[in-house]
Amino acid sequence: MNKQLERVSLAGMLVTLGIVYGDIGTSPLYVMNALIGDAGKMGNISPDYVVGSISLIFWTLMIITTLKYVVIAMRADNNHEGGIFALYALVRKNAKWLIFPALIGGAAILADGTLTPAVTVTSAIEGLKSQHLGPITFSSSQHDVLLVTTVVLLLLFVIQRFGTGMIGQSFGPVMVLWFGFLAVFGVVNLIAYPTILKALSPVYAIEILFSPANKVGIFILGSIFLATTGAEALYSDMGHVGKKNIYATWPLVYAALFLNYLGQGAWVINHAHDAAYRDLTDLNPFYEMLPGHWRLLGIVIATLAAIIASQALITGSYTLVDEAIGLKFLPRLIVKHPSNVKNQIYISNVNWILCIVTLSVVWYFGNSQKMEAAYGLAITITMLMTTVLLYEFLKNKIRPGLALMVALFFGTIEAIFLIASLVKFIHGGYVTLAIMLAILYVMWVWYFGNKRREHYERESEYVSLLDYRDQLQELSQDESVPMFTTNLVFMTKIKGDYQIKRSTMYSILDQEPKRAKVYWFVTVNETNVPYESNYTVDMLGTTNIVNIQLYLGFRKSQSVSVYLHQIVDHLVEQGVLDPQVPKYSTQRHRKVGDFKFVIINEQPADLVANDQLSALDKRLIGGRIYLQNITASPTSWYGLEFSNVVEESSPLFIVQEKDQYLVQRKIYHAVKNKH
C-alpha cells in the first residue's frame, strides 16, 4: 500500500472521500423515498413515524457501519487489505467449513452490487423530470429517464477499459462538494422543525417498530437498511486508502448524512398534509426540499455523486472477482491494468456482464422506487457471513466468550434485518437472489469440482519426480533424439514429497521423447499476503532438473514468463546453472537459450465411463473443466502470450482400471501360405 496512505493526510482524506463513500454517500437519494412507500402515501405520515424512522437510521449507521465495520472489522486487515475475501484468507486455516460463508457472502455482495448503479443513477436522473434549464424543459416521461440513465451507465462501462485515473482525481473534490451540499441543506430544512433532533434518542427507534403509526411493523427495517448498504464496500476499499484516512473522514461523512436525513424528515413533517403532496406515493424529499434554482444544482451534483458511486461499485467488483480468482473461487479471467494508478484493474468479462445485468435491472424495474423495494436483500446475507468470519478472527484476538458475544450481538441485529428484508423478495428481491445463486453456483462448481477431482485422483495418477531423474538426465544427453528445446518448462504442481502428475512424465517420455538441456517444473502457489512475490529453487541434486515453487499473493498478477526469466538470470549469475549461450541471437552477451512452455489440459472424456465417481461428482468435475475451457486459457492466465507454448490434451486419469469382466473367448492363428 502507498505509504502516504498509511497516515492521515489531506490528500489521503480527499482520495478516501472519492473512493470509499460513493455507495453509502448516495443513500439520501432513495432511503426517505422508500420510507414514504412503506407508509403508503404522504398523507399517512405522522411526525412520530418520521422521528422514529430517522432514529432507526441514526442507530443503524452507528451500530452496523461505525461499530461493526469502522471500529471492529477494519482491525481484521490482511496486510492492509479488507473485505470478505481478505477476511476469509486470514481465518481459512481455522476450519474447512468457513469456505461456505465466504462463498455465500462473496456471491451476495457481487449480486447486490448490480442494483447499486441502477438505483443511484436512476434516482438522480429522475430529479430532472419537468425541470427548466433556461429555454430547455426536461421531459416528465419515465421512459426518457430510462433512456438517459442507460446512456450514462453505458458510457461509464465503456470508459473502464481505458482506465479512470484522470477521472478518479476529481472524485474527491466532487464528493466534498456533495457531502457539504447534504449538510447545508439538511441544516436549512432542519431549522424549520428543530424538534426532529430528538431522533438522536434510541427510545424513538425502538418505539416506532411497535407503533401504530408504522403500518409495516418490523418490515420497515428493510427500508432503513438501505442507509447502510455501503458499509461492506467501505471495509473492502480499506486497502486503497488506508484505515486511518477512513477513521478521519467517516465522522464527517456520518454527520453530513445524518444532517440531511434530519432535513428531509423535517420537510416531510411540514409538508405531509399539503394538498400538493398528501396523495403522492412516489416522492423524493431530497429534491423537494431544495429551494428554487438550487434544485437543478442538486440534481447535477447528485448525478455526479451517483456516477462516482457506480464507478466505485464497478471497480470494487473487479477487485472482488480478482480476489476470488486468487483464492480459487472463480475460473481464470484475464486481468488488465489499464493505467498507472496503483490497484486499478480491468476485467473485461466482469465489466460487460455487469453492464448487461445492470441495464436489464434498469429496464425491468422501470423506476427507482421499484428498485429500492428490491435493493438490500442480498447484502444482509453478506453482512451475516462477514460476522461469522469476524467471529473466527476475534476469538484468536480476544477471549472466545467475548468474541461470541460480539458476534451474537451483530448477528442478531443483522438476522432481524434479513427477516425484515425478506418482504423485498416478492417486490423484486428475487432478481438479486437469482443473480446471487447463479454466481454461487459457478463458485461452487469451480471450487468443489477441483476438490472432488483431487479426492478421486488415485495414487497411481501421481509419480515421484525423483524416480525419473536418471531418465531425464540420460534423455538430455541422448543425441540420437532431436533437441526439442533448450529449456522445457512444465506449468504443473509438484507436491512437497516430489509427487507430480503422471501425465507430465507421460508427456516427456512416452508420447514423443522431449529432449532438452534443462527441465523446469513450475508450481504457482497463491498466498494470503496480497502482494507477495518470492520463490524457492530445488535442483533435485542435478544440474538440469529444476523445481520452482513460485509464491504469489492473491492480488499479484501471474506473469510467469517475466518471473522465470528473472529466476534464470539469478541462477546463471550464482553459477547454479551453466550459461546457455545460443549460437545465433540478436542479443549480445545473451546467456540463456530458448524456452518452450508445455501446458497439459485435462479433458473430461473419461468421466462418463468411470464407475468410481458418483453422479454428483461427475457433474462437479465436468462442470469445472467446462468452465476452465470457456474462460481464460492457461497461456493468457500465466502471461505466456509472447512465449513459445505447446498445449497438450490429456485424460483425467491416465491409468485406467482393468475391466475384470473382459474374457478371451477364442484366439485365431493366421494360416501360412503353402506357396
Side-chain angles (χ1 to χ4, degrees), residues 338-383:
S339 72
N340 294 325
V341 177
K342 189 179 188 301
N343 295 337
Q344 185 177 102
I345 60 175
Y346 172 72
I347 306 177
S348 178
N349 304 74
V350 175
N351 185 70
W352 294 114
I353 290 173
L354 193 60
C355 177
I356 292 169
V357 174
T358 300
L359 293 179
S360 299
V361 165
V362 168
W363 286 93
Y364 178 77
F365 287 105
N367 63 60
S368 63
Q369 190 177 39
K370 291 181 180 178
M371 296 177 203
E372 290 153 14
Y375 190 37
L377 174 56
I379 205 69
T380 57
I381 299 173
T382 299
M383 288 188 172

Side-chain angles (χ1 to χ4, degrees), residues 1 10 80 116 150 159 189 218 261 278 294 306 349 374 498 510 531 603 607:
M1 189 179 68
L10 184 61
H80 308 299
T116 300
T150 299
I159 66 172
N189 286 273
I218 193 175
Y261 284 125
R278 63 190 176 196
W294 288 103
N349 304 74
Y498 295 102
D510 292 281
Y531 296 103
Q603 301 298 323
L607 279 178

Side-chain angles (χ1 to χ4, degrees), residues 373-416:
Y375 190 37
L377 174 56
I379 205 69
T380 57
I381 299 173
T382 299
M383 288 188 172
L384 270 170
M385 299 302 103
T386 299
T387 297
V388 172
L389 296 175
L390 199 57
Y391 163 69
E392 289 293 327
F393 173 80
L394 289 175
K395 73 179 186 180
N396 294 324
K397 300 294 181 181
I398 58 178
R399 284 183 291 182
L402 181 58
L404 182 60
M405 289 177 61
V406 171
L408 287 175
F409 173 70
F410 292 118
T412 301
I413 293 173
E414 289 162 352
I416 294 172

Side-chain angles (χ1 to χ4, degrees), residues 5-22:
L5 301 180
E6 292 180 1
R7 66 180 190 275
V8 178
S9 66
L10 184 61
M13 292 173 65
L14 198 62
V15 171
T16 302
L17 289 170
I19 292 177
V20 174
Y21 301 113

Side-chain angles (χ1 to χ4, degrees), residues 130-180:
S130 304
Q131 291 299 306
H132 302 282
L133 181 59
I136 300 174
T137 300
F138 291 98
S139 170
S140 60
S141 168
Q142 184 64 24
H143 184 268
D144 292 340
V145 168
L146 297 182
L147 287 175
V148 174
T149 300
T150 299
V151 171
V152 171
L153 288 173
L154 194 56
L155 286 174
L156 189 60
F157 283 107
V158 167
I159 66 172
Q160 298 302 315
R161 62 176 298 184
F162 303 108
T164 54
M166 295 299 294
I167 301 174
Q169 293 176 8
S170 64
F171 283 1
V174 170
M175 293 306 288
V176 169
L177 182 62
W178 168 248
F179 289 120

Side-chain angles (χ1 to χ4, degrees), residues 225-237:
F225 188 75
L226 297 178
T228 193
T229 54
E232 191 73 38
L234 181 151
Y235 177 39
S236 298
D237 288 332

Side-chain angles (χ1 to χ4, degrees), residues 340 490 546:
N340 294 325
F490 278 84
V546 191

